[in-house]
Amino acid sequence: MDKQGHLLDASPRPLACFLNDHSRRMSADDPGGGRGRRSVEVDFFSGHKTSSRVAGSPEPPPIKEEDLTINMQLLPAATQKEEDDDDDRSASASASGSQQQLQAELGRMNEENQRLRGMLAQVTASYQALQMHLMALMQQQPRKQEQFLNATPIPAAAEQPASNSSTEVEKEDSPDAGGGGPSSSKQALPWAAEGRQLSMRKARVSVRARSEAPIIADGCQWRKYGQKMAKGNPCPRAYYRCTMANACPVRKQVQRCAEDRSILITTYEGTHNHPLPPAAMAMASTTSAAASMLLSGSMPSADNSFLARAVLPSCSSSSSMATISASAPFPTVTLDLTHRPHMPLLQAPPPPLYNQSKFSGLHMSSTASSDATRPPIDTVSAAAAAITADPNFTVALAAAITSIIGGGAGQQQHHGQAAAGVNASNNNNNVTSSSNNTATSNSTNSDTQ
DNA sequence: CGTTTTTGACCAGCGC
DNA sequence: GCGCTGGTCAAAAACG
């Protein structure tokens, strides 16, 4: 336990914040109950919901980050107490021996703490360098993006995000500014400031996942602002807006598939303008990666296997799909998570997940071991994939962490740079390409757009 | 009482 | 121009 606190103390602050925030946000992400939005409380580490628990998962007492920290801080005091007990019942020789042992233990832990901090700093630095590199690459590719979208057989592809610079911004803005009237998000739209963000605003990432829950828990906080009956689908389409920041432009649409109502189609649009909790960052990173690749044209239209490997690395040879659509008005990436013949990790979360120290250690070591053989997005994407593949976020998180354990290099964004918080897939997504619109996968979402 | 959801109305874009 | 559809707004209702 002390080690848990010990390691957690060395972990980056966002993680700690997330531990506190996540359960709240997770519950808030469940509009399904409508008023019951706060009914689902999820414990991040124990991997079970307080209201409903995944069958077969162990049920350790919830571990709170504060507890861990406090325990860590109290460690010397506890040590002192043990010393007192020893004094009461034994000779000073044994007490001093015990004290020395404890001090040695403490020293070891401090040493490890320092080492982990060093690793964290190193990982953070390399991550930032990678992110900068990615940004630079993306900025260098507007032309390729144009070519990519023009190469698609969809006539509407002429509206490439690359070419929508400021004029597109205004065009995109106008509905918000004009039509509805006093929209809260129309002034100083953060995404309009930057071409890339604009692209992310224009790009959409649609996620198809089997879920009985009315919404996918993606780590962000959403507020429902509308619901419509969409043509060709008896199920209503719900509109959500990110409420984690005042003017966050990210929106999402949630609708059940007309053909198979067990499939939930979530379409994200926009870029968060605020820091995200790790879970949301993981998912946002996945969407961001998908959208970026679509918009940057970093992959040939005929071969989306790159997307498969980069966005859905753990599933590049399986049966799910990522459908690329450049159809008007928004290029859309559809991640189809509905094909998952087996989800062993989700069915049987590994016991180590519930070991806080192991989690932290893995978290750290995995990030520290972010060797060049794996892009940082791998683990994030794998995590997002697992997370979004299953409505039970915590169980899916187990799979995500397991993927980290499995050797993925974990990197997490510390700013809400990623595209719309999104989710991705399961453990066996694969990616296929399609240049048609997403009608096959989300016909009710982008069919008439 | 503050926040969120519901729901009817409004607006813009598009096709005919 | 008209109708259809998608997207958004905002007042009312519901909830905690």
Side-chain angles (χ1 to χ4, degrees):
Chain A
M1 190 54 182
D2 51 345
K3 188 174 182 181
Q4 294 172 357
H6 166 68
L7 292 171
L8 187 62
D9 191 37
S11 65
R13 193 58 202 162
L15 174 60
C17 295
F18 168 67
L19 295 177
N20 290 331
D21 293 341
H22 182 62
S23 62
R24 184 175 67 240
R25 286 168 184 156
M26 283 296 295
S27 60
D29 277 348
D30 176 29
R35 309 308 193 258
R37 293 176 76 232
R38 295 188 176 84
S39 64
V40 180
E41 296 288 334
V42 180
D43 183 82
F44 181 83
F45 285 113
S46 64
H48 71 277
K49 292 183 272 188
T50 56
S51 58
S52 67
R53 189 170 61 89
V54 174
S57 64
E59 203 169 2
I63 300 171
K64 290 192 169 70
E65 183 263 340
E66 311 95 277
D67 298 339
L68 299 171
T69 304
I70 291 170
N71 285 340
M72 176 56 193
Q73 291 169 344
L74 293 180
L75 180 59
T79 302
Q80 183 61 49
K81 186 175 185 305
E82 290 181 17
E83 291 169 15
D84 295 343
D85 292 342
D86 286 344
D87 288 341
D88 288 344
R89 65 170 182 267
S90 65
S92 60
S94 63
S96 66
S98 172
Q99 180 178 358
Q100 286 178 356
Q101 195 175 352
L102 288 169
Q103 283 181 343
E105 181 78 8
L106 194 59
R108 262 204 323 264
M109 289 182 172
N110 283 332
E111 191 177 338
E112 186 182 353
N113 198 349
Q114 291 299 320
R115 187 169 52 83
L116 290 171
R117 283 176 187 273
M119 290 163 62
L120 174 62
Q122 185 179 354
V123 168
T124 302
S126 60
Y127 165 71
Q128 287 173 349
L130 281 168
Q131 192 174 29
M132 294 297 291
H133 184 59
L134 178 64
M135 293 295 195
L137 287 176
M138 284 179 172
Q139 288 175 356
Q140 288 171 6
Q141 297 207 338
R143 304 312 305 174
K144 283 182 67 176
Q145 162 188 350
E146 195 169 331
Q147 291 164 9
F148 163 67
L149 289 175
N150 278 333
T152 65
I154 307 298
E159 188 186 356
Q160 359 28 10
S163 60
N164 0 321
S165 30
S166 55
T167 54
E168 273 297 314
V169 174
E170 292 161 12
K171 182 179 173 185
E172 177 68 14
D173 248 340
S174 55
D176 276 342
S183 175
S184 59
S185 62
K186 60 181 167 223
Q187 54 184 7
L189 286 172
W191 45 267
E194 198 176 320
R196 180 180 169 274
Q197 285 196 343
L198 165 66
S199 296
M200 302 307 281
R201 160 72 178 174
K202 296 281 293 182
R204 287 182 170 181
V205 178
S206 181
V207 179
R208 287 165 50 89
R210 290 194 185 280
S211 173
E212 293 179 9
I215 193 173
I216 292 176
D218 49 26
C220 283
Q221 198 169 11
W222 304 94
R223 176 178 173 173
K224 189 176 184 178
Y225 66 90
Q227 180 169 311
K228 270 282 224 195
M229 293 303 298
K231 184 184 178 184
N233 192 332
C235 303
R237 176 186 302 167
Y239 300 89
Y240 294 88
R241 176 179 292 144
C242 177
T243 59
M244 291 184 72
N246 251 349
C248 182
V250 174
R251 293 174 187 190
K252 75 173 180 181
Q253 303 172 5
V254 179
Q255 187 173 36
R256 294 211 167 269
C257 179
E259 292 80 19
D260 184 352
R261 300 193 186 184
S262 67
I263 296 176
L264 197 64
I265 303 170
T266 307
T267 303
Y268 294 86
E269 177 186 338
T271 304
H272 290 285
N273 64 350
H274 52 85
L276 294 170
M281 283 191 286
M283 291 181 280
S285 295
T286 300
T287 339
S288 178
S292 296
M293 289 175 195
L294 169 66
L295 293 172
S296 68
S298 60
M299 59 191 164
S301 58
D303 177 17
N304 287 344
S305 60
F306 177 72
L307 180 65
R309 292 190 301 271
V311 179
L312 308 168
S314 62
C315 341
S316 53
S317 63
S318 52
S319 56
S320 293
M321 306 180 190
T323 303
I324 310 299
S325 167
S327 60
F330 308 109
T332 302
V333 179
T334 300
L335 303 176
D336 190 339
L337 320 177
T338 60
H339 307 272
R340 40 181 196 143
H342 57 279
M343 292 286 289
L345 291 175
L346 295 179
Q347 290 162 2
L353 172 67
Y354 303 108
N355 183 327
Q356 163 77 40
S357 68
K358 187 144 188 176
F359 170 77
S360 299
L362 288 165
H363 187 75
M364 303 297 291
S365 63
S366 63
T367 53
S369 66
S370 62
D371 50 62
T373 61
R374 253 177 217 268
I377 193 170
D378 267 12
T379 301
V380 172
S381 302
I387 286 166
T388 54
D390 197 289
N392 187 325
F393 173 80
T394 55
V395 179
L397 186 61
I401 294 170
T402 305
S403 72
I404 297 174
I405 298 171
Q411 297 272 358
Q412 288 179 336
Q413 297 185 356
H414 288 255
H415 297 88
Q417 179 71 313
V422 170
N423 8 52
S425 66
N426 48 22
N427 284 346
N428 45 24
N429 321 314
N430 77 20
V431 174
T432 61
S433 66
S434 166
S435 55
N436 343 357
N437 64 21
T438 54
T440 56
S441 54
N442 59 347
S443 59
T444 59
N445 257 332
S446 57
D447 50 355
T448 60
Q449 307 216 10

